[in-house]
């Protein structure tokens, strides 16, 4: 009887069983949207913190998921030509410095690529043909952050002020910080000394005790005025008068000292109640020829130098005429709308923070701008309301938070269909998601990326949309 011959087929190799803490060799192919290096180990995608494209590394696995692994660089066997020595020793430990090891020209190219990655993921109509323009960077990408929000805790018996390690509540004491305006850091470090001097207890999260939780310092780049806000767990700030007197003697730039009450364990920086300890309730900043009043909780761009470039790009993209009605959604203290008011017939804006709306209207008055008005509330509610009142926008500029546009606002935009529309985004992922719906009625003329936050993976973009 004929017997069918057998063949020795090569068995498919079994994947090795990996464990957290194990070290593996990887070649890094590209960078992900958070600035991490991406490689593949036995066909499993690996996200490696601190690795750069083209590098050969030894990585330690920190997390294993069914479809991917996370890890950190242990050893670099072949370095990228774009790798540089970080300025800050803690770069890579806390957020805000994750790209300090990448040469600045390469950072700018990466940020353009992040937008491309997000578009490829969400696939809005026509995305392959979008004009993605080179990222506009800074001549000197350091010392640009005009505001600091440092947590205060005790480490080894000493008061520390800094930021948490990524994905943890382990505080890193930041004695240096190259991206912060030098005055914000100098004031913060001096407050550390004062709290030690007067034996003021800082917050203990585990026990939910102590007084000072966070110090917020903002500096107006043009006027050099500074504001200090003590965010406290309790109403009373011990040795308040002594601390205020010492601060004013040391830093004549300080014109406003506030206290905010934020009791208990919470991930939020701010509590509901803020009051004045000394001076004014605001500082004054100048931007693009206009003067802006900034109260403690009011939103203002963290990088004023790049903000001027950002708003200039928005103005060019909008192509306003003197007969246009403009809506400034997510207006903050009115910086965008007021900078555009002279090019439009009327500007209306809105914000969900009451203090920002008050500041915006005060800023319009202070700058002699009579054709701009701001109201408290969400754009998704006010735009339809204004439409019923007969205010039809010819132009619209939106600058939403990282979560992107509210669904109801997108519906309102698609219903009212402003002829000129600019979307300023600080999150490529939510931008690409929103464009899926917006491109039903609009074409994307171009996307201009702008580096508002050097040394980080974050990127801002100005999107010019044209009505179909």
């Amino acid at each position: 009887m004929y017997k069918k011959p057998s063949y020795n087929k090569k068995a498919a190799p079994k994947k090795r069983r990996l464990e957290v803490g194990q070290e593996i060799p990887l070649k890094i192919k590209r960078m992900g949207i958070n600035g991490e290096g991406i490689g593949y180990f036995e066909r499993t995608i690996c996200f490696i913190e601190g690795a750069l494209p083209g590098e050969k590394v030894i990585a330690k696995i920190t997390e294993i998921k069914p479809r991917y692994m996370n890890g950190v660089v242990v050893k670099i066997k072949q370095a990228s030509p774009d790798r540089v020595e970080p300025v800050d020793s803690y770069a890579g430990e806390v957020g805000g410095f994750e790209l300090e090891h990448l040469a600045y020209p390469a950072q700018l190219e990466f940020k353009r690529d992040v937008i491309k990655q997000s578009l490829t993921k969400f696939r809005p109509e026509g995305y392959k043909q979008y004009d993605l323009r080179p990222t506009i960077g800074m001549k000197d990408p350091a010392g640009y952050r005009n505001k600091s929000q440092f947590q205060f805790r005790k480490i080894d018996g000493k008061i520390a002020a800094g930021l948490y390690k990524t994905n943890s509540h382990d505080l890193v004491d930041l004695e240096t910080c190259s991206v912060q305006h030098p005055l914000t850091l100098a004031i913060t470090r001096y407050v550390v000394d004062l709290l030690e001097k007067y034996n003021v207890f800082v917050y203990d999260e585990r026990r939910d005790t102590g007084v000072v939780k966070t110090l917020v310092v903002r500096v107006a780049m043009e006027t050099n005025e500074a504001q200090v806000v003590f965010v406290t767990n309790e109403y009373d700030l011990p040795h308040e008068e002594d601390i205020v007197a010492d601060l004013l003697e040391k830093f004549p730039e300080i014109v406003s000292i506030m206290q905010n009450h934020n009791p208990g364990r919470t991930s939020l920086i701010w509590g509901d109640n803020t009051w004045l300890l000394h001076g004014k309730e605001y500082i004054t900043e100048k931007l693009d020829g206009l003067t802006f009043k900034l109260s403690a909780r009011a939103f203002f761009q963290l990088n004023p130098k790049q903000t001027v470039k950002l708003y200039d790009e928005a103005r060019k993209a909008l192509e306003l005429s003197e007969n246009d009605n403009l809506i400034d959604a997510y207006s903050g203290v009115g910086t965008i709308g007021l900078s555009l008011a002279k090019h439009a017939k009327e500007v209306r804006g809105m914000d969900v923070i009451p203090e920002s709306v008050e500041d915006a209207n005060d800023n319009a008055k202070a700058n002699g701008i009579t054709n701009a008005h701001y109201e408290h509330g969400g754009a998704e509610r006010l735009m339809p309301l204004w439409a019923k009142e007969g205010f039809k926008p010819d132009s619209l500029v939106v600058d939403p938070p990282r979560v992107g546009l509210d669904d109801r606002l997108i519906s309102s935009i698609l219903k009212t269909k402003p002829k000129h529309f600019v979307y300023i985004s600080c999150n490529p992922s939510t931008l690409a998601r929103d464009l899926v719906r917006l491109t039903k009625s609009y074409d994307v003329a171009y996307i201009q990326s702008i580096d508002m936050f050097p040394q980080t993976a974050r990127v801002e973009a100005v999107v010019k949309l044209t009505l179909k």
Side-chain angles (χ1 to χ4, degrees):
M1 184 177 178
Y2 178 74
K3 187 177 180 182
K4 186 176 180 180
S6 61
Y7 297 93
N8 289 327
K9 291 185 178 179
K10 212 178 231 184
K14 290 184 178 180
K15 284 189 176 182
R16 281 181 273 175
R17 185 177 178 84
L18 299 176
E19 297 178 351
V20 171
Q22 191 170 336
E23 296 181 3
I24 58 174
L26 283 174
K27 180 164 184 185
I28 305 302
K29 302 292 187 182
R30 56 190 175 89
M31 288 177 71
I33 60 173
N34 296 312
E36 72 278 40
I38 294 178
Y40 294 85
F41 184 79
E42 296 181 352
R43 298 185 179 181
T44 299
I45 189 168
C46 304
F47 299 97
I48 308 300
E49 188 179 320
L52 297 177
E55 292 189 329
K56 293 180 180 179
V57 304
I58 302 296
K60 182 169 72 173
I61 301 170
T62 57
E63 186 178 30
I64 298 176
K65 295 291 185 180
R67 294 188 177 182
Y68 67 91
M69 294 186 292
N70 290 323
V72 295
V73 173
V74 174
K75 182 180 179 182
I76 300 172
K77 299 181 72 175
Q78 180 179 312
S80 164
D82 292 321
R83 179 173 286 277
V84 296
E85 189 67 28
V87 176
D88 300 294
S89 60
Y90 47 78
E93 287 190 71
V94 300
F97 315 91
E98 57 268 23
L99 294 187
E100 267 199 349
H101 62 299
L102 181 63
Y104 192 56
Q107 288 187 32
L108 298 180
E109 181 53 38
F110 159 72
K111 296 189 179 194
R112 180 176 177 271
D113 186 63
V114 165
I115 296 173
K116 186 177 181 180
Q117 288 185 50
S118 296
L119 293 171
T120 302
K121 177 181 177 181
F122 286 94
R123 303 165 67 89
E125 184 180 325
Y127 74 97
K128 290 183 179 179
Q129 283 74 49
Y130 289 177
D131 177 10
L132 302 182
R133 299 184 173 182
T135 307
I136 297 172
M138 297 187 72
K139 186 175 180 180
D140 180 14
Y144 62 85
R145 293 183 72 100
N146 62 1
K147 183 180 180 181
S148 62
Q149 296 182 153
F150 283 8
Q151 312 296 317
F152 277 60
R153 300 290 186 270
K154 275 232 172 168
I155 299 177
D156 297 329
K158 292 185 177 181
I159 295 177
L163 301 173
Y164 293 124
K165 289 183 180 179
T166 306
N167 299 320
S168 81
H169 265 219
D170 297 331
L171 194 75
V172 177
D173 190 23
L174 302 185
E175 294 189 4
T176 66
C177 192
S178 64
V179 297
Q180 283 292 152
H181 186 290
L183 184 56
T184 66
L185 192 64
I187 292 172
T188 300
R189 299 315 303 182
Y190 187 61
V191 169
V192 170
D193 294 339
L194 291 179
L195 298 184
E196 292 276 17
K197 174 183 175 181
Y198 293 112
N199 197 28
V200 177
F201 291 110
V202 295
Y203 186 62
D204 185 323
E205 190 173 31
R206 187 170 61 86
R207 295 186 175 90
D208 192 21
T209 59
V211 182
V212 179
K213 299 174 82 172
T214 306
L215 189 78
V216 181
V217 183
R218 177 148 60 183
V219 173
M221 295 282 197
E222 287 296 316
T223 64
N224 211 37
E225 290 185 349
Q227 181 181 67
V228 179
V229 185
F230 291 88
V231 180
T232 59
N233 185 50
E234 299 176 3
Y235 272 108
D236 292 329
L237 176 61
H239 298 279
E240 172 194 315
E241 293 183 0
D242 295 325
I243 290 171
V244 168
D246 287 355
L247 274 172
L248 296 174
E249 183 179 359
K250 179 76 171 179
F251 298 103
E253 300 95 336
I254 296 175
V255 298
S256 174
I257 302 179
M258 312 282 290
Q259 184 178 346
N260 174 267
H261 183 227
N262 186 22
R265 298 184 185 94
T266 173
S267 60
L268 300 176
I269 295 290
W270 297 95
D272 294 331
N273 298 316
T274 306
W275 59 90
L276 184 68
L277 299 182
H278 175 82
K280 304 182 294 183
E281 293 187 346
Y282 59 89
I283 57 175
T284 303
E285 178 65 289
K286 294 183 178 180
L287 191 70
D288 200 21
L290 299 175
T291 299
F292 295 96
K293 184 179 79 171
L294 307 178
S295 57
R297 294 190 61 185
F299 171 78
F300 191 76
Q301 292 282 2
L302 291 173
N303 188 340
K305 289 183 179 179
Q306 289 295 86
T307 299
V308 174
K309 297 178 184 178
L310 178 75
Y311 292 173
D312 188 52
E313 290 298 323
R315 178 186 56 78
K316 288 189 290 186
L318 275 171
E319 297 182 325
L320 289 169
S321 75
E322 59 184 14
N323 294 317
D324 282 354
N325 289 324
L326 169 67
I327 286 183
D328 172 16
Y330 307 93
S331 62
V333 297
T335 48
I336 298 177
L338 296 179
S339 69
L340 297 170
K342 63 183 176 182
H343 304 286
K345 177 183 178 182
E346 183 181 353
V347 175
R348 291 193 185 186
M350 71 285 285
D351 201 279
V352 295
I353 299 176
E355 295 94 332
S356 292
V357 174
E358 184 179 347
D359 285 352
N361 285 315
D362 287 347
N363 290 330
K365 186 176 180 181
N367 287 284
I369 297 172
T370 58
N371 64 333
H373 172 70
Y374 292 86
E375 293 185 24
H376 174 239
E380 63 278 0
R381 180 181 69 84
L382 288 173
M383 276 186 67
L385 184 64
W386 290 343
K388 288 181 181 178
E389 294 174 355
F391 181 82
K392 179 174 173 53
D394 306 287
S395 301
L396 170 68
V397 58
V398 298
D399 186 8
R402 292 186 63 78
V403 295
L405 297 178
D406 184 281
D407 284 339
R408 292 170 295 172
L409 175 55
I410 293 179
S411 298
S412 182
I413 292 170
L414 295 178
K415 186 176 180 180
T416 56
K417 293 184 179 179
K419 182 179 179 182
H420 305 288
F421 179 17
V422 166
Y423 187 144
I424 299 175
S425 167
C426 61
N427 186 340
S429 292
T430 53
L431 167 65
R433 179 204 67 197
D434 292 344
L435 286 177
V436 172
R437 288 188 64 193
L438 292 172
T439 49
K440 293 177 182 178
S441 296
Y442 288 89
D443 290 321
V444 174
Y446 63 79
I447 300 179
Q448 175 63 68
S449 49
I450 299 175
D451 188 17
M452 298 290 289
F453 303 99
Q455 321 309 333
T456 78
R458 293 177 60 182
V459 61
E460 206 99 354
V462 174
V463 186
K464 177 180 172 66
L465 297 121
T466 56
L467 195 60
K468 289 181 178 180

